[in-house]
Amino acid sequence: MSTDLKMLAEEANERLADATPVEVLAWARETFGDELVVTASMADGALPHLAAEAAPGVDVLFLDTGYHFAETIGTRDAVAATLPINLINATPKQTVAEQDAEYGKDLFARDPDKCCALRKVEPLNRVLSGYKAWVTGVRREEAPTRANTPIVEYDAKRDMVKLNPIAPWTQEDLDAYITDNGVLVNLLQYDGYPSIGCQPCTKQVAPGEDPRSGRWAGSGKVECGLHT
Ligand code: SF4
């Protein structure tokens, strides 16, 4: 464990408690320079947009699982083409076909934890090993598992600082930022997918339903393992 990073995160979390997301990201850029990476699921381009304002040229990581909707890949490409960011497209060690050959077809349906470990967590950890700090778009209201998300925390598992600059944002805050800034939005959001993951594990939800209830619906799984 790095005591310095832990103390840095704790001190920053207190000092930035009321800071705007851009202020948090600007602090991160100033503190970590090029050893800062922003993750983006491409459900919308809000976090890359904020990061581009605070830290032009910043690395933005997309986990290209091989199972994404075409709309998500299109959002990724449009965000990368229109914002001053450096997109890093991380892929799993195995293609879907290679994974099928080793573990059998549709591992996601039989063992989603294993599938997420192979296609999301391993690539994330591999890329993050080259940085000192990473940024997520986790918001507290998204799920009970996220309710206590701090703005800045020490990620002991990876010995890094983890920043969650939009943790306090409500859906209304996010929508307002998107509207006010002309931020790109994944078209699936307009088709009953308020939370977007891999195609086989994301279902449409009805208006008024829990936005994340379409993720791994019926399996009991609620997180992919990136934040737990
Ligand atoms: Fe596999 Fe589904 Fe996890 Fe994507 S969300 S990595 S398809 S289990």
Side-chain angles (χ1 to χ4, degrees):
M1 177 203 288
S2 165
T3 309
D4 287 351
L5 280 183
K6 189 167 186 290
M7 283 175 55
L8 179 71
E10 288 171 355
E11 189 273 329
N13 187 49
E14 274 184 32
R15 192 155 46 83
L16 298 170
D18 299 318
T20 66
V22 167
E23 288 169 343
V24 173
L25 288 158
W27 172 83
R29 179 62 143 190
E30 193 182 318
T31 305
F32 300 106
D34 290 340
E35 293 180 302
L36 173 74
V37 64
V38 177
T39 55
S41 69
M42 300 300 173
D44 58 64
L47 190 60
H49 193 278
L50 288 160
E53 183 180 340
V58 70
D59 289 350
V60 173
L61 169 62
F62 176 73
L63 297 174
D64 190 350
T65 64
Y67 278 121
H68 281 296
F69 291 95
E71 290 87 344
T72 302
I73 299 301
T75 306
R76 174 201 66 186
D77 293 345
V79 165
T82 55
L83 291 175
I85 60 166
N86 178 40
L87 183 82
I88 296 174
N89 194 67
T91 54
K93 285 183 175 164
Q94 293 179 315
T95 64
V96 170
E98 289 166 344
Q99 179 172 295
D100 286 352
E102 181 169 347
Y103 296 95
K105 194 167 162 46
D106 297 349
L107 180 62
F108 56 79
R110 291 174 286 109
D111 190 347
D113 287 342
K114 180 71 176 175
C115 186
C116 278
L118 293 168
R119 311 204 72 75
K120 288 185 170 180
V121 180
E122 188 283 326
L124 175 77
N125 289 342
R126 180 169 16 104
V127 174
L128 289 188
S129 67
Y131 297 88
K132 279 209 171 84
W134 66 300
V135 180
T136 85
V138 167
R139 292 185 299 110
R140 292 172 188 148
E141 72 163 21
E142 287 176 312
T145 49
R146 301 180 171 195
N148 298 317
T149 302
I151 302 290
V152 188
E153 61 187 310
Y154 175 62
D155 180 347
K157 195 163 66 177
R158 302 180 178 93
D159 190 25
M160 299 178 73
V161 171
K162 182 178 180 185
L163 299 110
N164 311 292
I166 62 170
W169 274 14
T170 62
Q171 185 63 51
E172 288 71 30
D173 293 330
L174 179 59
D175 291 345
Y177 183 81
I178 288 169
T179 302
D180 293 349
N181 294 280
V183 171
L184 285 160
V185 174
N186 190 322
L187 293 176
L188 291 170
Q189 298 247 13
Y190 304 113
D191 196 25
Y193 294 91
S195 178
I196 304 165
C198 294
Q199 184 163 14
C201 301
T202 308
K203 302 277 180 285
Q204 281 176 306
V205 301
E209 274 188 322
D210 174 0
R212 282 184 67 85
S213 63
R215 305 288 297 278
W216 305 285
S219 73
K221 182 175 168 69
V222 295
E223 293 278 357
C224 54
L226 302 183
H227 306 295
T228 52

